[in-house]
Amino acid sequence: MYTLVISIHILVCITLTIVILLQQGKGADIGAVFGGSSQTQFGASQQGSVITKATGALAIVFFLTSMILAYSSTQRATGSIFDRPFSSAPRSVMPQKMVPKAAGPVAPANPGGPATPAPSK
């Protein structure tokens, strides 16, 4: 459902941008460019064209999908990372020192000789 609404929202955004760029602005007649007056320049009413009606319909769909996505994003959030207790925070990812374990008793450093030097006389 969420992916479908996002897909519709993206398609409506692209289509709305194209439809708005295709519209002819008020007073955009050739006569208005050279100083002449246009009859529609000061708000003479005309019936909405297909592009104007499409813009209104796409704007409504855009606002609806925006509200649906905003509502669903608040419902999808299950909590904050700050809500967890400190002890359950992940440990460091640095590797531990590799210390070999002794398999048996540790052999003396000097196996043939005395452990301590003999006292001199």
Side-chain angles (χ1 to χ4, degrees):
M1 176 71 179
Y2 188 74
T3 307
L4 177 69
V5 175
I6 287 179
S7 302
I8 292 171
H9 187 73
I10 291 172
L11 287 174
V12 167
C13 289
I14 293 169
T15 308
L16 188 60
T17 304
I18 292 170
V19 168
I20 288 174
L21 290 175
L22 287 176
Q23 290 183 4
Q24 183 179 13
K26 241 183 185 182
D29 293 333
I30 293 293
V33 173
F34 297 110
S37 64
S38 174
Q39 293 178 353
T40 62
Q41 188 170 5
F42 296 106
S45 64
Q46 70 181 41
Q47 294 294 329
S49 66
V50 175
I51 293 177
T52 307
K53 291 178 182 179
T55 304
L58 287 170
I60 291 171
V61 174
F62 173 79
F63 286 122
L64 287 175
T65 55
S66 296
M67 290 191 307
I68 291 170
L69 289 172
Y71 178 74
S72 64
S73 69
T74 61
Q75 299 300 316
R76 290 171 58 103
T78 58
S80 173
I81 60 169
F82 298 111
D83 292 340
R84 294 186 292 171
F86 184 71
S87 63
S88 67
R91 302 279 182 209
S92 173
V93 292
M94 296 297 291
Q96 300 291 328
K97 283 186 176 180
M98 298 298 290
V99 178
K101 294 183 179 181
V106 178
N110 190 1
T116 58
S120 59
K121 293 187 183 182

